[in-house]
Amino acid sequence: FKHHFYFIMLSRLSHRAWHRVSRIHTFHHTFPSTSLSATAASLFSTSTTVMDELPERESMEFDVVIVGGGPAGLTSAIKLKQLAQQHDTELEVCVVEKGAEIGSHIMSGNVFNPIALNELIPDWKEQGAPLHQAVTKDELWYLSEGACIPSPFIPSNLRNDGNYIISLSELCRWLGEQAEALDVVVLPGFSASEPLYNAQGNALIGVATSDLGLLKDGSIGPNFERGTAILGRQTILAEGCRGSISEEVMKAFNLRSDCDPQIYGIGLKEVWQVAEDNPHYSPGLVVHGLGYPTPLDVYGGSFIYHGADGQILIGMVIGLEYSNPYLSPYHEFQKLKKHPKISPLLSGGECIGYGARAINEGGYQSVPRLSFPGGVLS
């Protein structure tokens, strides 16, 4: 969902959007974060009897534990191992990923700037990184219900010279292979469900995976398996937007005390395989759209990325502060696909993938404090 932030900032100038942000800010300061002990007790409360019955967790110890096998987590693991090699030292790094395999929970087809990859793995082309389709052209559309007005100029932050249209899930799978080649321990299929603190409760020491086999009443079932404690000298939380461990740690250490409240959007995306003879398909074309179908008092934008091998990545982002309770982001997306400028591109094609996810929209002023005792947010 790269570049939609430009559209969102334009729409946020409305009085209604500012009023809603102000209300959220007031709510945030009316109910301050609780203490570490109160937070832990409220979020992970289980009956004393059940807790007493649970067997002790088995543990795995590392120097650094990274929660999340997305771009942030994998590149952190690779950089740490590179630094360890440069300083001729041993560093045990573990990546915990809830998906069955690396990349399985990554849904964002995006326009990718390779500047960071150039620094991390300079020979990525020789290593076979899945960056196959370079951007060849940028367009900016203003959509009404029945028409499309192309912009005569492209703002500088929407120009994508030197960038690529990629599948982020494919890139993450490749990054996972690079991490494993550096002896990073990658654990897919492990869902971190609980932060673990030291005896004093003032520092994070790792995470625990989910307990399996509990019955509906919370008691231990016949197939119960205790979750594993994955311990690290430092823990990097790279879960993405609204990560459960990250949210708990932010409350526990009051990391949001000096920033504005976070606000959110939802991004919806589909991957289409277009018809072979579709004259509207243009590999390398990047389109961003304003206007229809979102109402004037709702900020958002759309995108169409013409990827390689006959694939189109189409989607839209809608801010979640809209006041109309009947507005449905999903149905707004369906209306977008029926627009007379867009429907010919999809005609005769097949949707081969789809998904949605929350997106942080608060901007720089909503970034919390990123470090805390025992780890960092990534």
Side-chain angles (χ1 to χ4, degrees):
F1 307 113
K2 183 177 180 287
H3 294 321
H4 70 277
F5 184 74
Y6 172 77
F7 309 132
I8 290 169
M9 291 306 296
L10 287 178
S11 347
R12 278 201 184 134
L13 296 177
S14 70
H15 173 76
R16 179 173 296 186
W18 173 250
H19 176 65
R20 291 185 62 77
V21 172
S22 301
R23 287 173 57 195
I24 295 173
H25 192 271
T26 302
F27 179 84
H28 174 76
H29 289 286
T30 304
F31 300 96
S33 298
T34 58
S35 65
L36 173 62
S37 58
T39 302
S42 62
L43 293 181
F44 300 106
S45 59
T46 308
S47 68
T48 304
T49 304
V50 173
M51 290 299 291
D52 291 341
E53 292 176 355
L54 293 178
E56 186 177 351
R57 290 187 175 99
E58 295 183 1
S59 63
M60 304 168 64
E61 295 187 8
F62 301 90
D63 293 306
V64 181
V65 174
I66 300 173
V67 182
L74 293 169
T75 52
S76 297
I78 292 170
K79 187 62 178 180
L80 286 169
K81 294 297 283 189
Q82 290 175 342
L83 290 172
Q85 290 179 351
Q86 292 173 15
H87 292 83
D88 195 24
T89 185
E90 290 292 328
L91 193 69
E92 293 294 328
V93 180
C94 172
V95 176
V96 182
E97 165 56 32
K98 64 184 176 182
E101 61 180 14
I102 294 295
S104 62
H105 280 209
I106 303 294
M107 60 149 290
S108 176
N110 69 354
V111 174
F112 181 76
N113 186 334
I115 184 171
L117 188 59
N118 290 335
E119 297 178 7
L120 185 70
I121 307 175
D123 61 341
W124 56 265
K125 290 184 180 180
E126 291 74 16
Q127 296 290 338
L131 278 64
H132 305 305
Q133 181 59 64
V135 175
T136 58
K137 185 180 180 182
D138 289 291
E139 292 185 3
L140 176 61
W141 296 350
Y142 179 81
L143 300 173
S144 64
E145 185 170 358
C148 170
I149 304 173
S151 172
F153 69 95
I154 306 295
S156 59
N157 61 334
L158 291 181
R159 296 173 189 162
N160 289 286
D161 298 335
N163 296 344
Y164 293 82
I165 300 172
I166 69 166
S167 165
L168 197 57
S169 61
E170 290 182 4
L171 180 63
C172 285
R173 281 191 285 271
W174 180 81
L175 288 171
E177 295 169 358
Q178 304 305 305
E180 289 179 325
L182 293 170
D183 294 328
V184 173
V185 178
V186 180
L187 300 176
F190 283 76
S191 176
S193 64
E194 180 181 349
L196 299 178
Y197 302 99
N198 62 6
Q200 294 74 34
N202 59 10
L204 188 70
I205 60 172
V207 295
T209 61
S210 302
D211 294 333
L212 303 176
L214 289 173
L215 301 179
K216 290 183 178 180
D217 62 358
S219 61
I220 294 176
N223 299 317
F224 177 79
E225 292 183 14
R226 188 73 159 119
T228 302
I230 303 177
L231 307 177
R233 292 162 55 195
Q234 291 291 313
T235 302
I236 299 176
L237 300 178
E239 299 175 284
C241 179
R242 296 291 299 175
S244 58
I245 305 294
S246 301
E247 291 292 324
E248 150 63 6
V249 167
M250 281 191 283
K251 292 177 182 178
F253 294 105
N254 201 22
L255 300 183
R256 302 202 63 87
S257 59
D258 297 322
C259 67
D260 283 358
Q262 187 60 266
I263 54 178
Y264 302 94
I266 184 170
L268 305 100
K269 189 202 76 172
E270 292 180 352
V271 181
W272 281 71
Q273 189 71 44
V274 300
E276 292 184 5
D277 57 348
N278 192 318
H280 304 281
Y281 169 62
S282 177
L285 174 62
V286 169
V287 177
H288 291 100
L290 284 166
Y292 183 84
T294 53
L296 293 177
D297 61 346
V298 177
Y299 67 84
S302 58
F303 60 88
I304 306 172
Y305 303 150
H306 294 236
D309 303 321
Q311 291 189 356
I312 295 288
L313 313 172
I314 179 172
M316 68 183 305
V317 176
I318 294 180
L320 293 179
E321 296 174 13
Y322 51 83
S323 57
N324 180 3
Y326 298 103
L327 188 144
S328 165
Y330 171 78
H331 288 100
E332 296 300 297
F333 184 33
Q334 304 313 307
K335 290 194 287 185
L336 173 72
K337 292 186 294 180
K338 296 178 180 179
H339 190 276
K341 179 68 174 180
I342 297 172
S343 60
L345 178 63
L346 306 179
S347 179
E350 178 186 6
C351 179
I352 59 176
Y354 56 90
R357 67 163 298 146
I359 303 172
N360 291 325
E361 297 287 10
Y364 179 78
Q365 65 271 17
S366 296
V367 176
R369 182 158 47 91
L370 299 178
S371 63
F372 52 87
V376 296
L377 298 173
S378 175

